[in-house]
Amino acid sequence: MSTLRADIKLMVVLCLFCPALLFSQKTNTPASDPSFTMRVINPDSRYEAAAILDVNKDGRLDIYCGGYWYEAPSWKSHFVREIPEKDEYFLDFGAIPIDVDGDGWTDVVSAAWHNKSVFWIRNPGKSGKNFEVFPIDAPGNIETVIAADINGDGRLDILPNVMTTVVWYEYKQDKSDPSGARWVKHEVSKEVAGHGIGVGDINGDRRNDIVVPKGWLEQPTAANGPWPFHPEFELGSASVPILVHDLDADGDADLIFGLGHNYGLYWLEQAVDSAGKRTWARHEIDKSWSQPHFLLLADLNKDGQKELITGKRYRAHNGKDPGENDPRCLYYYSYDRTGKLWKKHAISQEGGPAGFGISSMALDIDKDGDIDIVAPGKSGLYLFENRLVNKKK
């Protein structure tokens, strides 16, 4: 059982902060288009963030979403906590699974826009106690949080998308603290924050940089040194995350992003001109639907190349965004590097009930050898089971 938990933890870490490594090794399985079966976990759920984790340590991956967690394989719901609601939003804008206090039970880190807070929810394990909420900080209005090993110490850090500042947090187990952990705040910049954030090695120096809508912040060699800002592009009101990924396999990092409150899904191709200056060429992926607020990468067809997963954040601004009333959708996109073409594939039945919320995950939740997708949002909570392996049997 301990080996199984270690394998699950490794998969979660890779999915959260290193999509360029997740499921990237070549397989001998021929590539084919997967199909998906939708499982209705809770059609009445309106929480916009979900996570995949083994909540009760029974060796199965469960679904955690807002005020409840859902136990595999029956998806029985269990109460977690009451969450305040304001302006058609629950004050719960993230779901990052981490064992914060080191007790062997996976906790969840979240954030909220309205009270400007980052916080974590402690898994009570077998104690019989309630889930407890512990504050981390209140840095400003927050879209959501992403996780990455920013400082390269092998442990996940938390990067919230704060509208007024770029800041990240690392945690350390500390038995002297009532929560069992303490958080260290790292302020990067108060000048360049905006809607959208990402993490990855932009310049190839093996240190994770931070991407914002108008450029990128270069991680310094000194731990507490300033982060130089490179204003090299303009993304607009970008998705969270902005994905950092070598899409064309030419050895440098490209960017994939959506316009979270408008129409448009794009990628920026990194190159170097004849003068040695870094350049970014903008390419359209799809402009046929609106509000691609959250993006993931995963190898859905087991060909060794990751696909882009995204979908509509239904009622992101409660009816005020362009295309808000267009049909809900959930897609994956495959990229043909030879022909430099994208192909769109429907995950959810087009016009179906599912959107893609503000934060989620893709893992082999049923352990059948292919990657499944959890889709939260204001229109319900759904699991899309990949039938790729079953199709090939």
Side-chain angles (χ1 to χ4, degrees):
M1 188 65 72
S2 60
T3 301
L4 176 61
R5 289 198 296 268
D7 290 343
I8 291 171
K9 180 178 179 181
L10 176 60
M11 290 174 66
V12 169
V13 169
L14 289 173
C15 178
L16 285 170
F17 76 90
C18 200
L21 296 179
L22 181 62
F23 311 111
S24 60
Q25 294 186 358
K26 294 289 183 181
T27 71
N28 295 322
T29 307
S32 65
D33 292 344
S35 59
F36 293 86
T37 298
M38 185 178 78
R39 305 294 183 195
V40 180
I41 306 301
N42 184 350
D44 300 317
S45 177
R46 291 183 294 110
Y47 303 105
E48 295 191 80
I52 300 172
L53 63 148
D54 185 358
V55 177
N56 57 352
K57 288 176 65 172
D58 66 351
R60 299 185 179 97
L61 289 173
D62 310 302
I63 297 172
Y64 180 105
C65 184
Y68 297 86
W69 71 274
Y70 300 85
E71 183 178 358
S74 66
W75 308 118
K76 177 184 176 182
S77 66
H78 300 267
F79 178 74
V80 173
R81 65 190 183 100
E82 292 286 351
I83 301 177
E85 185 179 8
K86 186 175 182 179
D87 304 330
E88 208 176 316
Y89 300 95
F90 284 99
L91 274 62
D92 184 72
F93 280 51
I96 305 296
I98 300 176
D99 181 6
V100 176
D101 54 6
D103 65 354
W105 296 84
T106 304
D107 312 301
V108 173
V109 178
S110 186
W113 173 275
H114 295 82
N115 60 12
K116 305 180 180 181
S117 66
V118 187
F119 53 92
W120 68 281
I121 304 103
R122 181 160 64 190
N123 186 339
K126 293 182 178 179
S127 69
K129 297 179 179 179
N130 296 327
F131 285 78
E132 295 179 86
V133 178
F134 295 95
I136 298 173
D137 194 19
N141 297 114
I142 300 165
E143 282 290 313
T144 186
V145 290
I146 61 177
D149 181 6
I150 294 176
N151 57 4
D153 65 354
R155 177 178 292 188
L156 284 178
D157 306 303
I158 296 299
L159 177 66
N161 184 198
V162 189
M163 296 296 98
T164 54
T165 185
V166 179
V167 61
W168 62 277
Y169 303 86
E170 62 177 312
Y171 69 96
K172 302 178 185 295
Q173 273 100 41
D174 186 350
K175 292 183 180 180
S176 68
D177 190 284
S179 70
R182 59 185 175 86
W183 293 82
V184 180
K185 181 178 182 179
H186 300 269
E187 296 183 274
V188 177
S189 173
K190 291 185 178 295
E191 288 76 37
V192 301
H195 192 298
I197 204 161
V199 179
D201 182 4
I202 297 296
N203 57 354
D205 65 356
R206 300 187 179 182
R207 290 188 295 273
N208 272 331
D209 309 301
I210 296 175
V211 182
V212 293
K214 294 186 178 182
W216 59 283
L217 291 147
E218 181 180 352
Q219 183 167 171
T221 56
N224 296 316
W227 292 59
F229 180 58
H230 302 268
E232 297 176 352
F233 44 76
E234 174 62 74
L235 306 183
S237 185
S239 55
V240 189
I242 301 162
L243 295 173
V244 180
H245 175 59
D246 184 5
L247 180 65
D248 50 11
D250 66 350
D252 56 29
D254 308 303
L255 303 179
I256 307 172
F257 68 100
L259 297 182
H261 297 283
N262 210 324
Y263 290 88
L265 190 62
Y266 304 90
W267 72 284
L268 291 190
E269 179 182 5
Q270 182 179 170
V272 178
D273 65 17
S274 58
K277 181 181 178 182
R278 183 181 295 103
T279 62
W280 300 91
R282 184 171 177 139
H283 304 282
E284 179 183 316
I285 300 174
D286 192 1
K287 289 179 64 178
S288 65
W289 57 277
S290 75
Q291 298 161 276
H293 202 285
F294 179 70
L295 283 61
L296 278 175
L297 288 172
D299 184 358
L300 296 175
N301 59 7
K302 301 187 72 173
D303 67 347
Q305 182 174 329
K306 290 166 290 300
E307 283 71 51
L308 169 65
I309 306 165
T310 187
K312 186 183 190 71
R313 183 188 172 195
Y314 177 60
R315 292 188 63 78
H317 277 164
N318 301 334
K320 299 176 183 177
D321 280 348
E324 280 262 27
N325 296 317
D326 292 350
R328 280 154 270 176
C329 57
L330 183 61
Y331 300 110
Y332 78 88
Y333 295 80
S334 54
Y335 182 64
D336 177 1
R337 288 170 174 162
T338 302
K340 297 185 177 181
L341 296 172
W342 289 90
K343 182 179 179 182
K344 179 167 67 174
H345 312 257
I347 296 172
S348 171
Q349 180 181 357
E350 297 189 34
F356 207 33
I358 200 168
S359 179
S360 193
M361 294 176 64
L363 285 174
D364 184 5
I365 197 168
D366 53 12
K367 302 177 186 175
D368 67 350
D370 50 33
I371 301 302
D372 312 299
I373 301 164
V374 171
K378 291 180 179 178
S379 58
L381 175 64
Y382 305 90
L383 168 65
F384 289 88
E385 293 182 6
N386 191 342
R387 315 309 279 175
L388 178 71
V389 170
N390 289 337
K391 282 170 57 179
K392 293 178 178 178
K393 289 181 179 178

